[in-house]
Amino acid sequence: MRTTMLLPEILHGCSNYHLLSLAVLLLLVAIDASHVAIKDFRAEVVDEAGEPVPLYETYLHHWVVVRYYQRKKDEFNTSDIIVGGNSGICDVVLNQHFGLGSETRKTATYVPDPYGIEIGNPKEVPDRFEERWVLNLHAIDTRGVEDRLGCTECKCDLYNVTKDDHGRVIEPDYIGSLRCCYDQTRCKLKDGFKGSKKGFYLKYTVKYIDWDASIVPVKIYIFDVTDRWKKLENSTAKAKHPCQIEYSVEPCSSAGANVGCTDTKKLSVPFPIGGDVIYGVAHQHAGGAGSTLHGEDGREICSSHPIYGKGKEPGDEAGYVVGMSTCYPKPGSIKIMEGETVTLLTNYSSARRHTGVMSLFYLLVAETSPKANSIPNSTDRFGVGLLVLAAVFYQRRKKREEGYDSIVI
């Protein structure tokens, strides 16, 4: 079984402005087309020698992996695609199974025994379709730029664009976000800087075990503090969750009620199922000061805080979010009831303006508890393999009206 792979050359330096923001379509041939439980999925940017690349050279905004089903014996055709996303809760967007950003190197992502993320179950694959996976990558080359943080936060005045990826004019009061740093846009360099051509790769490692009756499946939920959902009067109708994904943090001089130069956002939503919380982690950008998910009675379900680097080595880059703390509660100790209102509180420093920030919260929940004496020892069942090159297809993402494009197309 092959578990570690490299995406071929993805990034090169340019002369005046530079950025890379590619949608990469990749069939994850590292995972056998069988019924398995994913136990871990990790990734990082490396150079041509396989060495880790520091964030201050190439900023990893995000990588996400999404499952989809494609009609058999057809070439890639959008009409024959069914997205097999996670369990929610955002509409259309945030449907990935795996994914992180700059924090990828120091964020624990393993799924503890006896749990697993189930894939390859033939009962879930529509008739005449097959299961596949797509990877979306957003990496920004910041070598020699005038303002590294500004480039990573997609500030419009640094990208020299007047229209977004859909051809719409960017409004003067739109300071920054993905509308200004879409595919192939470039960030302003210091005068006289000449960037050398250099190849980079995305290296990822998947750990998995064969599925059996002893494994307890978990469901993936992603909450977004920008979710604008509204409670419906008709209790039988399904509520819409239009998650905006990104937002701006204004400096405290104009932040109004925020105290101590901290911007606080809040989201309260009903949880769709009941079950045991197995794992939790937040996703924040530079300036983040942590997020906490609370139950209806005010109890803490999980609190996750950014780890900031203090040096120059990859994984410890000063000023960057290089990791997020995680929650691994004892099985059965943290439960959420079906329909229970959970509240997400998230904080950012507002000592300065931040654009294009995110406040997501990722939970793994098991609807059933493990049976006694059913815990497998997965340590010896992980696949161990060699570095191999993957077959990669580059294709632009399908446009849609929100700030993020479709990951699948």
Side-chain angles (χ1 to χ4, degrees):
M1 290 188 292
R2 294 169 290 179
T3 61
T4 303
M5 302 187 73
L6 296 178
L7 295 189
E9 193 169 352
I10 59 172
L11 186 61
H12 295 91
C14 301
S15 57
N16 296 314
Y17 292 79
H18 56 217
L19 169 129
L20 174 79
S21 176
L22 285 180
V24 181
L25 174 62
L26 167 70
L27 304 187
L28 294 183
V29 295
I31 304 175
D32 293 339
S34 56
H35 195 183
V36 300
I38 300 295
K39 300 293 292 183
D40 206 355
F41 200 125
R42 303 183 64 84
E44 66 170 337
V45 173
V46 299
D47 62 19
E48 293 161 307
E51 296 297 323
V53 176
L55 292 169
Y56 50 79
E57 290 187 3
T58 302
Y59 180 75
L60 183 55
H61 187 279
H62 71 259
W63 62 269
V64 294
V65 179
V66 176
R67 176 174 61 182
Y68 70 97
Y69 304 111
Q70 181 173 331
R71 196 178 301 277
K72 292 181 178 179
K73 298 181 180 179
D74 284 351
E75 294 183 359
F76 192 82
N77 189 319
T78 60
S79 64
D80 293 317
I81 296 296
I82 301 173
V83 177
N86 55 50
S87 297
I89 59 174
C90 294
D91 300 334
V92 183
V93 297
L94 299 177
N95 50 16
Q96 66 265 26
H97 271 58
F98 314 100
L100 291 169
S102 67
E103 75 274 24
T104 191
R105 290 187 176 110
K106 285 191 174 179
T107 301
T109 56
Y110 71 90
V111 183
D113 290 335
Y115 306 98
I117 297 173
E118 183 180 15
I119 71 167
N121 186 345
K123 296 181 180 179
E124 296 178 352
V125 181
D127 188 35
R128 296 191 297 276
F129 281 73
E130 59 187 355
E131 182 176 299
R132 294 186 177 184
W133 294 81
V134 63
L135 184 144
N136 176 275
L137 171 67
H138 185 177
I140 303 174
D141 185 351
T142 60
R143 292 173 295 159
V145 297
E146 284 190 354
D147 180 355
R148 277 199 175 96
L149 181 60
C151 290
T152 63
E153 292 189 343
C154 299
K155 290 192 173 179
C156 299
D157 60 350
L158 295 172
Y159 283 91
N160 196 32
V161 293
T162 58
K163 295 181 180 180
D164 64 18
D165 200 19
H166 307 288
R168 300 171 299 188
V169 174
I170 297 174
E171 301 82 2
D173 60 349
Y174 188 87
I175 306 299
S177 195
L178 284 182
R179 288 183 66 193
C180 293
C181 67
Y182 48 89
D183 289 2
Q184 302 305 316
T185 52
R186 300 179 179 186
C187 198
K188 190 174 183 180
L189 298 177
K190 297 175 183 177
D191 290 341
F193 179 82
K194 299 294 182 181
S196 59
K197 186 175 181 179
K198 191 174 182 181
F200 295 89
Y201 299 77
L202 185 76
K203 174 183 175 181
Y204 67 88
T205 302
V206 185
K207 293 184 178 180
Y208 60 99
I209 56 177
D210 292 333
W211 190 267
D212 63 42
S214 67
I215 302 170
V216 180
V218 294
K219 291 189 173 183
I220 301 168
Y221 293 91
I222 302 178
F223 298 87
D224 178 10
V225 78
T226 68
D227 186 352
R228 296 178 180 175
W229 85 284
K230 293 182 179 179
K231 187 175 182 179
L232 302 177
E233 294 183 3
N234 183 357
S235 59
T236 61
K238 182 179 179 181
K240 299 294 184 181
H241 290 270
C243 299
Q244 307 304 302
I245 303 179
E246 294 185 307
Y247 64 100
S248 294
V249 173
E250 295 302 318
C252 54
S253 59
S254 60
N258 288 322
V259 178
C261 285
T262 299
D263 180 90
T264 299
K265 294 284 189 293
K266 178 181 178 180
L267 169 71
S268 293
V269 292
F271 203 78
I273 66 164
D276 298 337
V277 176
I278 306 306
Y279 169 84
V281 68
H283 170 68
Q284 291 190 312
H285 294 183
S291 297
T292 302
L293 192 67
H294 295 276
E296 193 167 285
D297 58 0
R299 73 191 186 284
E300 182 178 300
I301 294 174
C302 178
S303 186
S304 178
H305 297 270
I307 301 167
Y308 284 91
K310 299 179 180 179
K312 292 186 177 181
E313 295 298 315
D316 190 36
E317 298 94 330
Y320 291 88
V321 176
V322 297
M324 295 293 299
S325 65
T326 55
C327 298
Y328 283 97
K330 181 180 178 181
S333 64
I334 302 292
K335 294 181 178 291
I336 300 177
M337 303 300 293
E338 182 178 353
E340 178 180 356
T341 297
V342 295
T343 297
L344 174 61
L345 289 175
T346 186
N347 297 313
Y348 266 87
S349 167
S350 58
R352 56 160 293 169
R353 173 182 280 129
H354 293 280
T355 60
V357 302
M358 298 182 185
S359 289
L360 311 179
F361 213 96
Y362 177 100
L363 280 186
L364 294 183
V365 177
E367 292 187 74
T368 58
S369 298
K371 298 178 181 179
N373 301 320
S374 67
I375 299 178
N377 178 9
S378 66
T379 304
D380 298 328
R381 300 166 68 190
F382 287 153
V384 178
L386 301 175
L387 295 180
V388 296
L389 292 179
V392 180
F393 305 88
Y394 295 93
Q395 186 166 338
R396 290 186 62 80
R397 294 166 290 182
K398 179 181 178 182
K399 301 183 190 330
R400 69 181 195 85
E401 293 303 312
E402 291 78 9
Y404 262 66
D405 293 333
S406 169
I407 292 173
V408 178
I409 305 306

